[in-house]
Amino acid sequence: MAFWHKYRNYISFWILGLSNNYSYVIMLSAAYDIINGHEPKGGGSGDDGKGCNSMSTGAVLIADILPCLVVKLLAPFVFTNTNLRVSVVVILSALSFIITSLSMNIYFSYIGIVCASLSSGLGETTFLSYTSKFDSRVISYWSSGTGASGLLGSMSYALLTSWGLSPKNTLLVMLFIPVLMALTYWCFICEPTHPSITDESVRPLISDSNDMPSL
């Protein structure tokens, strides 16, 4: 049973790594389509037949990267319950797909992209700290999942749109990702039975070091 629980957690952290970065990757893959979907009929600013948009996709990239960076810088200083953090991550991930796909103008699309960025940044700091309660090898599976999200996320978006699904409907299909994250965290992962390293377990070591004679 312990053997099954161990590999069950390995699989869980792989899925969490995959789903945490999935919305982030999808927004990068859909950057052109997101902007192009809100362009006036007849093309971009130049309408020169080259398929250019009046607004650079770089704006989408900034909206998808900058909030994530800010969250990674600030989240370690905010001490909250892990379940609450994961709930926020799942909600933000779902909102990113819903808002971006159903938005009526580019500015609402940016709100959806920011939600994806915040979800990815908060999820990374949350799940990485959560790995401290488990076998140290779960970090390798988490890293493998985040790496796979880049490949699988871009491929899934390209395949669905190439099969005739509109970008908006493709984003709505991606709602299964936050659902998968929630099911993995609350239903599939096994909480460790051994206590994690805490301040209480470290304190005796510190006190012992204080008892050592000075040279």
Side-chain angles (χ1 to χ4, degrees):
M1 184 62 68
F3 178 84
W4 162 240
H5 284 177
K6 180 174 67 174
Y7 282 93
R8 181 171 169 177
N9 287 336
Y10 291 163
I11 296 171
S12 297
F13 273 95
W14 190 90
I15 295 174
L16 290 175
L18 174 74
S19 55
N20 182 70
N21 282 21
Y22 212 88
S23 60
Y24 180 86
V25 172
I26 291 297
M27 297 306 164
L28 294 179
S29 303
Y32 176 85
D33 292 331
I34 291 172
I35 293 179
N36 192 53
H38 298 291
E39 287 289 328
K41 301 300 180 180
S45 58
D47 195 19
D48 53 7
K50 297 181 180 180
C52 297
N53 292 321
S54 59
M55 186 177 294
S56 170
T57 53
V60 174
L61 303 183
I62 293 175
D64 200 27
I65 294 174
L66 189 58
C68 178
L69 177 61
V70 173
V71 168
K72 288 180 181 180
L73 292 174
L74 298 180
F77 301 100
V78 180
F79 301 98
T80 55
N81 183 271
T82 301
N83 289 328
L84 177 60
R85 280 196 175 196
V86 175
S87 299
V88 174
V89 170
V90 171
I91 292 172
L92 286 174
S93 180
L95 286 176
S96 68
F97 293 121
I98 295 173
I99 294 175
T100 306
S101 61
L102 301 180
S103 63
M104 301 302 296
N105 58 64
I106 188 63
Y107 301 106
F108 278 101
S109 294
Y110 283 144
I111 295 176
I113 296 169
V114 169
C115 286
S117 182
L118 293 174
S119 172
S120 177
L122 181 60
E124 182 170 331
T125 58
T126 300
F127 291 124
L128 283 178
S129 63
Y130 189 50
T131 60
S132 63
K133 298 182 178 181
F134 298 84
D135 181 346
S136 60
R137 282 176 288 183
V138 299
I139 298 180
S140 299
Y141 288 85
W142 158 271
S143 301
S144 176
T146 57
S149 66
L151 177 63
L152 297 179
S154 56
M155 285 184 60
S156 62
Y157 182 83
L159 285 174
L160 289 175
T161 52
S162 65
W163 289 341
L165 203 63
S166 69
K168 289 187 175 183
N169 289 333
T170 299
L171 292 176
L172 289 176
V173 170
M174 298 300 176
L175 279 171
F176 80 91
I177 291 298
V179 174
L180 177 63
M181 179 189 293
L183 290 176
T184 301
Y185 177 76
W186 277 293
C187 300
F188 193 69
I189 201 168
C190 296
E191 285 286 350
T193 56
H194 61 278
S196 60
I197 297 176
T198 61
D199 292 339
E200 287 72 17
S201 60
V202 175
R203 190 173 295 114
L205 298 178
I206 298 176
S207 60
D208 292 342
S209 64
N210 292 332
D211 296 335
M212 293 179 63
S214 58
L215 297 178

